[in-house]
Amino acid sequence: RLHRINFFEPTPKAVRCLCYDESIYRLAVLRADYAIEIWDMKETPYLEKVIQGDDSISVEALSWCNGRLFSGGLHGYVLEYDMNDLQSKNQLLVTSGCPIWCMAVNEKRTHLAVGNEDGHLNLLDVSSEEIYFDRKFDNQEGAILCLSWHKDGLVIATGSLDAIRTWDVYTGHVINRIMLSRAAKNTPTVVWCIAILRDMTLVSGDSSGKLCFWDGNTGTLISSAGSKKGDILAIAVSKNEKEIYASGVEPIIMNYLKSQSNGLWMKSVQRLVHTHDVRSLQLVGNLLVSGGDDCNLVCTKYPPKTVLTFYPYCQKTYASVAVEASCILLQYQEHVELWKIGEEKDPFNLLRIAPTEDESILCSSVSSNAKFIAYSTALKLRLFCLELNQGSDEKILSEESLSKVELPADLPSVRSLLFNKDSTKLFCLVDNTVTILDCCLGSAKIAATLTLTDSVGQIQLMTLSSDDAYLACGSHEGNVIVYSLTNLAVHCHLPHYKCQPSALIFEPLSENLIVAYTDRKVVEYNILKLAYTPWSKSSMLQDLKEATLYPITSMCISSDKLFLLDGSAIYVIDKTQQVTPAKKRIKQSEKSETALTDSSFKTITKYEHISSIHTFKDEIIFVQMPSGHILNSLPPPIWKKVYG
């Protein structure tokens, strides 16, 4: 049976900026709380890691350069991030700390252009491992809000209040200035986005709702795409410069194609996949990625019509289940909550634990008997001991029920936490080292340390076998390693795969490890025979791989059934049935809650906003974000009059 946990209510954050690096297939997504999400776009869009935001360090612009991520904000610094530590490693102060509004790298990936509040366009040298100040262009009136490089790297176009300028990169002087008309006398026209094409055509979107095409050589208006009901905030240009996408306050994404006869840009199909303002657009191969105030990251393409919606807090696991105590731990950004669940009575909140300082929680876990609760922030790891009175019906715990467990002084913050089945050991992932702690009532001591080589890559996933004899780890580079916890040594390596694993799980009462990769490939590996099982080669898994373009993010096993979760559905596979080659699909209606195929797996599609699925005794529970809570946390959309 499926049980729904619908009291997980985190506050989603809007998308502010998108930036893509095609050399490493990584998409950076900036949220309103200044957190930066790194998505792997090689096969399917998969949330790889998150750089936690800080209210004191604002981020307004992002830019990639050969696998290096840069950001700028109101503090006036250009920051470079370490992709392993997820912290800033280099910084450079630009023009006395004026707020930075935009940045972009040139085609040769050698220089970074930065526009700021005081009207200066600055050029930074990023060709080496450091960031160096190159030169500053002539000062202009008003802030530089957007900029774009020409493909040859000789011209930069910038947008500001009432004006568009083109700059000579070598001299730093203005080549041309285009003055924009105002809709009202005392209301300036703000240029929010700009792009420069190879033929020196300038494409601008402004606060009057117009998408304008300019001749960059003469500064004359070629055409205007008409007026929208709100500001145009984002523009995306295809790689061959034959298509342009634009959107903004009115959340309709418009597509423009260049006419072969007269060279003018004509309006084509439109897409309505958002409910609120669209803040940023980015083309990733044949996918158009968009994000805005509705907090969703949406990938679309046409033809054929394909829409992939990635809801916030539905790409990673933010819950852990204490099966013996019938409790579930829910992780929020500012605190963790422990809830009592069961069939006899409604779920109720037992306690809430929050860091004493203003810190963001990176990971958390609860032991199977709910005796220990652990969470980690960017500063340190914390472990608590909880005394639960199993025979009491009290919903409120006393202060004496929770006590802090002393940890080793040299233990830093961790990226992943995992308790073993008997609740005596805590596995902490620190960089590429797994530290095993012996959990006691008063203090925890380091029992063992497992060190992984750099050739394996950065570890992101951990799972334990049902007898606590093996630990499996998955890395971003597509490697899966199995450790023997008996002799604390590497037991085996799974064959390397081109994609990174997105979910790991051991099959209960067996030596089989099930691995799901970001391209939806699912395999089963016997760690004693050191070979894939025959089930891994079934045609059913090939049908599962081709079902959608969402990655599998969570798995669990109950009663010989394998449950897999992606962004669109829950898939149920009965492993006791004999697998036969798939023949013909059974057509189902569009409103059907389940879809059956001859491949012996069932698809459940009637639930939305599912964060993760877990095994609870002989049943399955899934954590779901209430749709009403998501809608209540969003700002009001643009007002539209509806007839009648």
Side-chain angles (χ1 to χ4, degrees):
R1 290 193 301 172
L2 292 177
H3 294 275
R4 179 173 54 179
I5 302 296
N6 59 356
F7 43 79
F8 180 53
E9 298 180 345
T11 303
K13 304 298 181 182
V15 176
R16 287 288 178 261
C17 180
L18 302 174
C19 187
Y20 179 65
D21 189 350
E22 61 181 357
S23 64
I24 59 173
Y25 306 104
R26 293 300 184 270
L27 175 71
V29 180
L30 173 63
R31 296 282 178 176
D33 59 349
Y34 307 136
I36 303 175
E37 300 174 352
I38 307 300
W39 290 69
D40 181 5
M41 306 294 291
K42 187 175 182 180
E43 296 292 339
T44 59
Y46 171 69
L47 179 57
E48 183 178 271
K49 59 187 74 172
V50 179
I51 302 174
Q52 295 296 328
D54 189 347
D55 292 337
S56 61
I57 304 176
S58 71
V59 181
E60 302 294 335
L62 296 175
S63 182
W64 285 100
C65 180
N66 296 327
R68 303 165 64 189
L69 180 61
F70 299 92
S71 74
L74 301 180
H75 44 72
Y77 283 88
V78 173
L79 304 179
E80 181 185 357
Y81 296 94
D82 190 322
M83 290 291 100
N84 293 325
D85 296 337
L86 303 181
Q87 302 286 337
S88 61
K89 64 176 182 179
N90 292 328
Q91 63 180 20
L92 179 67
L93 183 64
V94 180
T95 61
S96 303
C98 289
I100 295 173
W101 294 114
C102 56
M103 59 171 53
V105 69
N106 63 347
E107 188 73 14
K108 296 181 179 180
R109 303 292 190 266
T110 58
H111 287 82
L112 183 69
V114 179
N116 54 20
E117 178 70 26
D118 63 356
H120 282 110
L121 185 60
N122 303 273
L123 209 59
L124 308 181
D125 188 352
V126 293
S127 57
S128 62
E129 295 183 356
E130 301 293 331
I131 310 173
Y132 298 103
F133 181 82
D134 192 342
R135 58 187 179 274
K136 181 171 63 175
F137 290 13
D138 294 344
N139 190 19
Q140 69 161 50
E141 296 180 1
I144 297 178
L145 302 177
C146 55
L147 63 90
S148 176
W149 283 82
H150 192 270
K151 294 297 182 181
D152 60 9
L154 303 178
V155 179
I156 296 178
T158 62
S160 57
L161 300 180
D162 294 327
I164 296 174
R165 293 175 175 86
T166 55
W167 303 78
D168 189 301
V169 173
Y170 288 115
T171 64
H173 301 321
V174 175
I175 301 176
N176 211 333
R177 185 180 67 169
I178 303 172
M179 300 302 296
L180 279 68
S181 60
R182 293 187 175 187
K185 183 177 180 180
N186 297 324
T187 304
T189 300
V190 183
V191 181
W192 293 117
C193 48
I194 195 169
I196 182 171
L197 309 184
R198 289 186 179 90
D199 59 356
M200 284 300 294
T201 298
L202 303 179
V203 187
S204 66
D206 53 46
S207 58
S208 65
K210 293 182 180 179
L211 184 70
C212 300
F213 299 88
W214 309 85
D215 188 333
N217 296 315
T218 61
T220 56
L221 179 64
I222 300 175
S223 64
S224 177
S227 178
K228 290 169 65 70
K229 295 181 180 179
D231 303 22
I232 293 181
L233 303 176
I235 290 175
V237 183
S238 63
K239 197 169 183 179
N240 57 9
E241 297 186 354
K242 293 183 179 180
E243 290 184 273
I244 292 178
Y245 299 89
S247 187
V249 174
E250 187 180 7
I252 298 177
I253 302 176
M254 299 300 303
N255 182 20
Y256 297 89
L257 301 176
K258 192 172 185 179
S259 174
Q260 299 295 332
S261 59
N262 54 13
L264 297 179
W265 291 88
M266 311 298 292
K267 185 185 296 184
S268 181
V269 297
Q270 65 183 28
R271 310 175 187 183
L272 181 57
V273 293
H274 291 274
T275 59
H276 292 67
D277 303 11
V278 177
R279 297 283 180 174
S280 186
L281 298 172
Q282 180 67 55
L283 280 165
V284 179
N286 60 349
L287 288 177
L288 175 65
V289 185
S290 57
D293 287 352
D294 62 1
C295 307
N296 298 330
L297 192 69
V298 182
C299 302
T300 57
K301 67 177 181 180
Y302 180 85
K305 183 181 179 181
T306 305
V307 179
L308 304 175
T309 303
F310 296 89
Y311 301 104
Y313 292 98
C314 294
Q315 316 306 321
K316 292 288 185 181
T317 300
Y318 295 92
S320 57
V321 179
V323 179
E324 298 178 14
S326 298
C327 294
I328 185 170
L329 184 72
L330 301 178
Q331 175 189 324
Y332 294 83
Q333 187 173 357
E334 303 87 5
H335 63 273
V336 294
E337 292 180 354
L338 185 67
W339 287 73
K340 184 74 173 180
I341 56 178
E343 294 184 356
E344 292 81 10
K345 44 191 161 184
D346 294 334
F348 57 90
N349 190 358
L350 285 173
L351 59 86
R352 173 184 292 188
I353 307 175
T356 55
E357 302 177 10
D358 188 14
E359 305 173 42
S360 296
I361 297 177
L362 305 180
C363 57
S364 62
S365 183
V366 61
S367 61
S368 181
N369 57 8
K371 191 173 182 179
F372 294 100
I373 297 175
Y375 72 85
S376 178
T377 65
L379 298 180
K380 59 181 178 179
L381 170 69
R382 294 175 176 89
L383 179 63
F384 297 90
C385 180
L386 178 64
E387 295 293 337
L388 282 177
N389 188 359
Q390 300 294 339
S392 175
D393 293 333
E394 293 183 0
K395 297 185 178 182
I396 301 176
L397 298 177
S398 62
E399 295 183 0
E400 292 78 12
S401 302
L402 187 68
S403 59
K404 192 173 183 180
V405 179
E406 184 179 352
L407 295 172
D410 56 345
L411 191 64
S413 64
V414 301
R415 290 202 304 267
S416 182
L417 292 167
L418 182 65
F419 281 97
N420 63 348
K421 300 299 185 295
D422 59 4
S423 306
T424 59
K425 289 181 173 59
L426 175 63
F427 293 80
C428 308
L429 178 61
V430 183
D431 294 330
N432 264 24
T433 301
V434 180
T435 303
I436 305 175
L437 297 179
D438 257 331
C439 297
C440 303
L441 295 181
S443 62
K445 298 181 180 179
I446 298 178
T449 301
L450 305 176
T451 303
L452 290 80
T453 60
D454 294 337
S455 60
V456 173
Q458 188 180 18
I459 297 299
Q460 58 152 339
L461 298 174
M462 293 193 305
T463 187
L464 282 167
S465 60
S466 57
D467 56 356
D468 291 335
Y470 297 98
L471 173 70
C473 301
S475 72
H476 291 305
E477 281 70 24
N479 297 309
V480 178
I481 306 172
V482 179
Y483 274 90
S484 172
L485 299 180
T486 305
N487 52 17
L488 299 177
V490 176
H491 175 72
C492 65
H493 291 257
L494 269 69
H496 176 76
Y497 191 59
K498 62 179 181 178
C499 300
Q500 60 178 311
S502 59
L504 301 172
I505 189 173
F506 275 99
E507 191 174 3
L509 305 177
S510 72
E511 299 80 18
N512 296 333
L513 174 64
I514 301 177
V515 183
Y517 293 95
T518 54
D519 64 347
R520 296 181 59 87
K521 180 180 180 180
V522 179
V523 297
E524 186 181 51
Y525 190 83
N526 190 294
I527 61 176
L528 295 185
K529 297 180 181 179
L530 303 182
Y532 291 117
T533 63
W535 182 80
S536 299
K537 303 174 183 179
S538 63
S539 58
M540 171 193 60
L541 296 181
Q542 182 64 29
D543 293 340
L544 179 66
K545 181 179 179 180
E546 298 173 356
T548 65
L549 294 178
Y550 291 97
I552 296 172
T553 57
S554 183
M555 294 189 299
C556 65
I557 299 177
S558 178
S559 302
D560 295 326
K561 288 184 173 61
L562 174 63
F563 295 79
L564 306 99
L565 172 69
D566 65 11
S568 62
I570 299 175
Y571 303 91
V572 185
I573 300 176
D574 190 350
K575 297 198 66 183
T576 60
Q577 294 183 0
Q578 184 178 2
V579 177
T580 57
K583 296 180 180 179
K584 185 178 180 181
R585 295 183 180 274
I586 301 175
K587 187 177 180 181
Q588 298 284 311
S589 63
E590 296 180 356
K591 297 182 179 180
S592 176
E593 296 179 354
T594 61
L596 299 178
T597 68
D598 286 348
S599 297
S600 303
F601 70 85
K602 182 173 68 173
T603 305
I604 304 174
T605 59
K606 66 178 180 178
Y607 303 107
E608 288 185 339
H609 308 111
I610 302 178
S611 177
S612 56
I613 53 177
H614 307 269
T615 303
F616 182 67
K617 299 178 181 178
D618 294 332
E619 299 169 346
I620 298 296
I621 62 174
F622 60 91
V623 181
Q624 182 184 32
M625 291 180 60
S627 301
H629 171 74
I630 298 175
L631 294 176
N632 293 334
S633 62
L634 299 179
I638 185 173
W639 182 85
K640 287 185 178 181
K641 179 177 174 56
V642 179
Y643 177 76

